[in-house]
Amino acid sequence: MAMALGLMVSACETVAPDEQRPQFAQRAAPRAGQAEIELLAGLDARLARRGPCLGIVPRGDPDGEFTTIVWPANARLDQDEQGWFVRNAANGTVLRIGSRIRGGGGHIGELSGEALRRFNHYLTRDLSAQCAAYGAFTLNADFGG
């Protein structure tokens, strides 16, 4: 028991300090019998973070235009000793800041006021006004790296 406790304490010591949790706006899962809506815009970019917002930048331009991601229901945000990451629970893809992200989805321009309130009605976690100001890309469930 003491050995197991020592291993648990040792493992906890290797975890990096908790950086502020990124905002993680996410679409609700389809109801039973309802199909997931697949949007047709293609995505091939890099995962990036601007303040609390997770999003994308062009692959060859890390300082390029940032767009916030609205994640599908199968995406999971987690943290380990290397920091925050997103996992596609369906196919196991793990994305970290700087990772290539590919998939389909749809681009939405900047959202504010009543339009943002209506959009947030369809999410499990609201998109903040700060992140919505960057515009949004709603990512399909088949995303990968």
Side-chain angles (χ1 to χ4, degrees):
M1 170 106 170
M3 183 176 191
L5 183 57
L7 289 174
M8 286 178 16
V9 169
S10 174
C12 290
E13 290 172 358
T14 64
V15 175
D18 186 19
E19 182 182 326
Q20 179 188 0
R21 179 184 175 91
Q23 292 183 18
F24 196 69
Q26 192 170 30
R27 290 190 321 276
R31 295 183 203 134
Q34 187 180 39
E36 176 79 25
I37 294 173
E38 295 287 325
L39 301 171
L40 300 177
L43 174 68
D44 189 355
R46 296 268 179 215
L47 185 63
R49 184 171 180 176
R50 296 288 186 273
C53 310
L54 283 178
I56 52 174
V57 293
R59 273 191 37 217
D61 186 5
D63 296 321
E65 183 177 350
F66 179 87
T67 304
T68 300
I69 292 179
V70 175
W71 297 92
N74 65 318
R76 303 290 180 266
L77 177 66
D78 206 351
Q79 184 184 37
D80 62 13
E81 64 279 349
Q82 296 177 42
W84 292 101
F85 63 92
V86 177
R87 178 185 313 273
N88 182 328
N91 65 23
T93 297
V94 171
L95 301 171
R96 296 182 183 277
I97 301 303
S99 293
R100 183 178 188 184
I101 181 169
R102 293 185 286 180
H107 186 267
I108 300 170
E110 179 183 338
L111 292 164
S112 61
E114 184 58 30
L116 178 58
R117 282 189 287 283
R118 282 193 313 269
F119 185 72
N120 280 337
H121 179 73
Y122 299 99
L123 306 180
T124 61
R125 292 187 176 101
D126 285 356
L127 181 61
S128 72
Q130 179 183 0
C131 295
Y134 290 113
F137 187 91
T138 60
L139 190 60
N140 291 337
D142 65 349
F143 71 91

